[in-house]
Amino acid sequence: MTALAIILIILLVGVDQLTKLYALNVVKPAGEITVIDNFYYFVYVENRGAAFGMLQNKQWFFIIVTLLIFAAFAYILYNYRIEGKLFFAAFVLVIGGGIGNLIDRIFRGYVVDFLQFSFFPPVCNIADYFITAGAVMLVISVMFCKKNIAKRRLEEDKE
């Protein structure tokens, strides 16, 4: 399961980074591109904060918090066996999206956002949607699924 998680995370990060390259090379020069009139737009934004523009210019804070979350998830991935499929998917989405935005923060000093729906004003990116979907799935999984994480791997070795 660990190898599958790593492969899926790499794929998600790749998709995120490719879409951000598109935003940098196509959307930024255009300013705004209408995808579906009065509904969906590509609008280039350099986000130096968190969701909805909170905590502007606190890049080190976001980098440290993201790395702490990754460390906790890596500990779970290494020491436990993830059994619930919904929990596994949530886990992969949150980490993949987090790494995508972390790459931006480290190498650009901001996160590239470019996706905007007319009914949801904040401009987001694919990684933001991965993180949001993963967080919702994680909550549902923890609240309603009985098996998410199995025994510690060390205990399994004894059996």
Side-chain angles (χ1 to χ4, degrees):
M1 196 67 93
T2 303
L4 178 60
I6 291 168
I7 291 167
L8 292 172
I9 289 166
I10 289 168
L11 287 172
L12 292 176
V13 171
V15 167
D16 174 64
Q17 290 300 303
L18 285 173
T19 61
K20 289 174 180 174
L21 282 175
Y22 174 81
L24 286 163
N25 294 323
V26 177
V27 179
K28 183 177 181 179
E32 181 178 308
I33 298 172
T34 300
V35 179
I36 301 172
D37 199 27
N38 296 318
F39 181 71
Y40 186 58
Y41 307 90
F42 291 161
V43 180
Y44 181 81
V45 173
E46 294 177 357
N47 184 354
R48 289 173 167 75
F52 311 111
M54 295 183 304
L55 299 170
Q56 289 291 315
N57 299 312
K58 305 287 187 215
Q59 296 306 320
W60 284 108
F61 171 78
F62 294 119
I63 290 169
I64 291 167
V65 168
T66 302
L67 290 173
L68 289 173
I69 291 168
F70 291 160
F73 277 21
Y75 177 82
I76 291 169
L77 190 59
Y78 182 75
N79 291 298
Y80 293 86
R81 187 178 70 234
I82 298 173
E83 290 190 348
K85 291 178 184 174
L86 186 63
F87 186 83
F88 177 79
F91 188 90
V92 167
L93 285 167
V94 169
I95 293 176
I99 290 172
N101 282 342
L102 182 64
I103 289 169
D104 282 12
R105 291 187 195 285
I106 290 171
F107 294 104
R108 293 189 178 96
Y110 57 87
V111 174
V112 174
D113 286 338
F114 65 99
L115 305 173
Q116 183 178 36
F117 288 93
S118 60
F119 60 88
F120 186 68
V123 181
C124 301
N125 61 50
I126 296 292
D128 295 337
Y129 289 119
F130 290 160
I131 294 166
T132 302
V136 169
M137 292 165 64
L138 188 61
V139 168
I140 291 169
S141 177
V142 168
M143 290 178 65
F144 300 109
C145 298
K146 293 182 183 193
K147 271 194 169 177
N148 288 315
I149 299 176
K151 298 175 188 174
R152 294 194 71 173
R153 287 190 175 167
L154 297 173
E155 292 172 4
E156 289 174 351
D157 293 340
K158 293 178 186 176
E159 296 175 357

